[in-house]
Amino acid sequence: MAHDVVERVEQFGPKLAELAAGNEKLGRLSDETVGLLRTAGVLRLLQPTKFGGYAAHPRDFAEAVMAVARHDGAAGWVCGVVGVHPWEAAQMDPRVAQEVWGENPETWIASPYMPNGIAEPVDGGYVLSGRWPFSSGTDHADWVFLGALVGDGKGRPVSPPKVLHVILPRSSYEIIEDSWDVIGLCGTGSKDVVVDGAFIPSYRTVDQDEVSGGEAAVSNGVGEALYRLPFTSMFPLGITSAVIGICEGALALHLEQQRERVAVTGVQVRDDPYVLYAAGEAAAEIAASRVQLIDGISRVHDRVAAGETVTIEERSDIRRNQVRCAWRAVSALDEIFARSGGNVIRRGNPLQRYWRDAHVGLAHMIHVPGVAYHANSLAQMGVDLPPQLRVML
């Protein structure tokens, strides 16, 4: 059962927390952390049952990612990013799933989807070249999803642009080892990957627009509601879940540290109404973020399962709320971090790592509020959205 995954995560929680500082120094997840995640089954939650997965409700996936991130933000982030890739692979030509999981259901797929490469059409497929930053968890993955612009045969993208998602085996790309030197989420190992003229057969590609609207699953005979959800609802889900989980972990640690702390005034913090007010308000804000995020993905899942169409306005509402969930949770974390005392800035205090990880997570492009809020306001007015505002809807 999918809920057993969360129970196993909680069982492993103290060990995940113990390993977190080492992952940060290592610049990627340790083999021991990855072993715990594999045993828990977090990254198989959205994987098809035929290939050893759970094909779970996306709500269960979000809750599992949050559970991991409460103990180690970097591990939660990798679960949220890498964990959504089985969902997309399941929508593609059936040969893809067989190649990826046929011999090993524990195989991980990395990304990113940013269209940083040019895919030149050739007989039977494409030839791809480019460089992509931010490939989270890539050291432990044997395949990678990449975004690519279809080329015009001369090294330039066609006009208007056409974006593909392509999937490549580990032998077709290079990981750049010294490309991840950052201030937060250090343990994610989100290094650059480079592709230099790799051939990609057509069946390992999918049009981004078809994934965005759920058409890819239908055209490949995949009927489950899970695999017909909009990409722009599912992909942000894992990332925002990780940020919320990080904030939940920070709140728990803050309260633990404040229980016996005595302020410079000689007053025990647990007797300071101002600090406790801030902690209570932060707890409410972080809890609201969790509820709203899960409510959004549950609503869209129910619509798709009922055979109904998810409108642009509804997709825009989900994106607006998803962005706000992340900002609300991190803003709440800021309030308690500022009241945690001087020792919070010491590198040996895990709370400062939670704070850095949360802010780096907030910097991901899916958390940029401007376009999401702009598009949502127009959609609520019934105004047709221009192409540039539909990109992440």
Side-chain angles (χ1 to χ4, degrees):
M1 296 293 293
H3 289 294
D4 294 340
V5 173
V6 175
E7 291 181 7
R8 287 193 289 270
V9 169
E10 294 301 347
Q11 177 187 343
F12 299 149
K15 188 61 179 179
L16 288 169
E18 178 186 323
L19 295 168
N23 292 336
E24 178 164 70
K25 292 179 181 178
L26 188 62
R28 63 173 176 83
L29 297 186
S30 67
D31 293 343
E32 189 171 3
T33 294
V34 170
L36 293 173
L37 299 178
R38 292 189 192 279
T39 300
V42 181
L43 285 97
R44 288 186 286 113
L45 277 167
L46 301 181
Q47 197 164 306
T49 55
K50 179 180 178 181
F51 293 99
Y54 292 90
H57 194 292
R59 173 188 59 240
D60 297 323
F61 171 64
E63 291 180 341
V65 171
M66 291 179 195
V68 174
R70 282 198 294 274
H71 302 289
D72 179 359
W77 183 271
V78 170
C79 287
V81 174
V82 178
V84 83
H85 299 149
W87 169 83
E88 180 167 2
Q91 303 172 49
M92 298 179 70
D93 186 296
R95 286 175 286 183
V96 171
Q98 183 62 43
E99 288 176 339
V100 173
W101 299 303
E103 295 184 4
N104 181 12
E106 295 289 351
T107 300
W108 287 10
I109 309 168
S111 58
Y113 292 105
M114 186 185 307
N116 271 28
I118 301 292
E120 294 287 5
V122 295
D123 288 344
Y126 300 85
V127 172
L128 178 69
S129 295
R131 179 165 179 157
W132 292 257
F134 308 124
S135 184
S136 298
T138 198
D139 287 294
H140 302 283
D142 294 310
W143 290 75
V144 66
F145 267 120
L146 298 173
L149 292 165
V150 175
D152 64 357
K154 299 178 182 179
R156 299 186 299 265
V158 297
S159 183
K162 180 179 180 181
V163 180
L164 298 177
H165 291 177
V166 304
I167 185 167
L168 295 82
R170 181 67 183 82
S171 58
S172 295
Y173 61 94
E174 177 188 2
I175 298 171
I176 307 302
E177 290 297 335
D178 62 352
S179 56
W180 188 239
D181 183 13
V182 291
I183 62 169
L185 293 175
C186 306
T188 63
S190 302
K191 302 171 184 176
D192 292 12
V193 297
V194 172
V195 179
D196 184 11
F199 172 72
I200 306 168
S202 294
Y203 72 87
R204 289 190 195 152
T205 73
V206 63
D207 189 298
Q208 178 173 272
D209 290 339
E210 293 183 3
V211 178
S212 295
E215 291 90 351
V218 174
S219 63
N220 284 303
V222 180
E224 296 98 321
L226 169 64
Y227 301 115
R228 292 185 287 115
L229 296 176
F231 176 85
T232 49
S233 299
M234 285 295 293
F235 177 66
L237 177 67
I239 295 174
T240 304
S241 294
V243 170
I244 293 172
I246 290 168
C247 294
E248 290 178 335
L251 174 65
L253 184 58
H254 167 80
L255 293 172
E256 177 184 330
Q257 293 181 354
Q258 301 312 301
R259 185 179 295 113
E260 304 300 331
R261 186 168 78 89
V262 177
V264 69
T265 59
V267 176
Q268 281 197 307
V269 169
R270 64 181 183 223
D271 294 325
D272 185 330
Y274 305 107
V275 173
L276 298 187
Y277 178 97
E281 184 174 56
E285 291 297 280
I286 294 168
S289 295
R290 161 186 275 266
V291 170
Q292 190 173 37
L293 184 70
I294 291 175
D295 175 74
I297 199 64
S298 297
R299 285 175 180 270
V300 73
H301 181 274
D302 290 347
R303 291 293 303 272
V304 172
E308 300 172 357
T309 299
V310 183
T311 67
I312 284 291
E313 182 176 349
E314 290 167 330
R315 285 156 65 165
S316 177
D317 286 348
I318 291 169
R319 276 283 288 135
R320 175 202 65 199
N321 292 345
Q322 165 257 316
V323 171
R324 186 60 198 148
C325 287
W327 281 84
R328 182 192 300 117
V330 176
S331 295
L333 170 54
D334 284 344
E335 292 298 318
I336 57 174
F337 186 82
R339 293 168 175 81
S340 291
N343 283 321
V344 75
I345 65 173
R346 299 186 186 278
R347 288 193 178 274
N349 188 332
L351 191 52
Q352 54 79 28
R353 187 180 64 247
Y354 278 109
W355 184 78
R356 287 186 289 108
D357 287 350
H359 278 273
V360 170
L362 198 62
H364 192 284
M365 59 85 61
I366 64 129
H367 290 142
V368 176
V371 173
Y373 292 173
H374 180 181
N376 180 251
S377 294
L378 292 178
Q380 288 186 322
M381 295 175 186
V383 176
D384 287 337
L385 301 181
Q388 67 270 23
L389 294 183
R390 289 174 171 261
V391 172
M392 279 303 293
L393 298 183

